Amino acid sequence: MTATMKSGFFIFMVFGFTLAKNDNAFTRLIDDLFDDAGYEKDAIPMLKPADKTSNVNAINVGVGMSIISMDYDPAEVLTANTWMKFTWTDYRLKWDANQYEGISNIKIPASRLWRPDLSVYNAYTFGSGSFEDHFAVAPTNAIVYSSGKILWIPPLPLKVNCQHDKVVPSTNQNDPQECNIKIGSWTYDGFHMNLTAYDGEEYMELSDMTKNSPYVVTSQEGDAIKNKFYDCCEEPYMSVDFRFTVQKAFDIVDGEKVFNKSPEELEELFELYKNTFKHVEKN
């Protein structure tokens, strides 16, 4: 071997060793989970195909919603800023933390993962700028745990038709108004995707709601998990249907707040939001 070849070989070995040293445990873990394992994010993470008579093989997807602020217009359209809450388990993303210097979870873009194909059924708009559009491109990271559990909490705006199945007569906009937000899979039935309540709560989370929200929630029904059956089929079609009433908190008139509910009433209401909030005796 010539001196030049020896020198080149030495440089190659040093360079390769340096690259190997720079590959930390996080890099190795992500490489092992996604690249080496050939992770396919378009494949639903079911261990077995769906059973024909039950949800025994279905993937469980927890769905929750934290309301940050909301507004409402006379056309029965509710606009809300939310933190959506999703959790599920992807068996392909399990690992032994001891093999990766004790790493028990990683934070990675949710776009690299399989995600449930959830839509807002009573959305006011579809396509560009809709909930589905924001859901598809949400830049927030998901947390993946060594057990394969995934937690994803993206901030998402949404706009819904309240009481879309009714012709609602004209009402005083200062009175409580009924509304609902209905979410479900666009393609999967309940034997493939079993929707569950995030953290076991079938209510919207209100403890993070801003006190400057133009509208406030005055009651919730609960029991949000719904199953619908069709004559043709045995499998259920599931949804998470949050039903509630809202009421105007204030208007802005000539640049100033004009309260529909007194500041004292609002403080009392927001105090209730700190716990699981179901209803208020007085509006």
Side-chain angles (χ1 to χ4, degrees), residues 193-252:
M193 187 186 301
N194 180 45
L195 297 184
T196 65
Y198 180 90
D199 239 8
E201 293 289 349
E202 296 189 39
Y203 299 91
M204 298 184 302
E205 172 63 47
L206 300 173
S207 62
D208 294 310
M209 194 169 182
T210 174
K211 293 184 178 181
N212 289 310
S213 176
Y215 273 75
V216 290
V217 176
T218 55
S219 69
Q220 294 195 72
E221 285 187 13
D223 300 321
I225 304 298
K226 306 295 184 185
N227 285 286
K228 186 171 184 177
F229 293 87
Y230 295 92
D231 293 339
C232 67
C233 317
E234 291 190 37
E235 64 272 14
Y237 288 82
M238 303 188 69
S239 64
V240 183
D241 192 3
F242 297 109
R243 292 187 170 271
F244 51 95
T245 59
V246 298
Q247 189 172 12
K248 183 182 291 185
F250 60 83
D251 272 320
I252 300 295

Side-chain angles (χ1 to χ4, degrees), residues 4 15 19 24 42 52 59 64 74 115 128 169 173 195 221 228 247-248 283:
T4 302
F15 182 67
L19 286 178
N24 64 22
D42 292 327
K52 295 185 183 299
I59 180 172
R115 289 176 290 174
S128 178
Q173 291 303 301
L195 297 184
E221 285 187 13
K228 186 171 184 177
Q247 189 172 12
K248 183 182 291 185
N283 293 322

Side-chain angles (χ1 to χ4, degrees), residues 149-181:
K149 178 184 175 181
I150 294 168
L151 175 63
W152 186 39
I153 306 181
L156 295 174
L158 55 80
K159 202 169 187 178
V160 298
N161 285 305
C162 295
Q163 305 186 65
H164 69 288
D165 55 348
K166 300 178 183 177
V167 177
V168 181
S170 178
T171 59
N172 185 337
Q173 291 303 301
N174 290 328
D175 292 339
Q177 308 292 327
E178 295 181 1
C179 196
N180 75 302
I181 300 171

Side-chain angles (χ1 to χ4, degrees), residues 8 26 61 64 66 96 131 139 145 148 151 175 214 250 269 281 283:
F26 289 99
V61 176
S66 183
D96 181 354
F131 174 88
Y145 296 90
L151 175 63
D175 292 339
F250 60 83
L269 193 59
E281 296 299 333
N283 293 322

Side-chain angles (χ1 to χ4, degrees), residues 265-280:
E265 288 178 308
L266 291 174
E267 285 294 339
E268 181 181 340
L269 193 59
F270 279 96
E271 190 65 29
L272 289 172
Y273 288 173
K274 293 178 182 179
N275 302 304
T276 299
F277 171 79
K278 298 179 181 180
H279 67 275
V280 178

Side-chain angles (χ1 to χ4, degrees), residues 109-111 115 132-141 152-156:
S111 59
R115 289 176 290 174
E132 288 78 8
D133 188 38
H134 289 289
F135 182 90
V137 300
T140 48
N141 282 350
W152 186 39
I153 306 181
L156 295 174

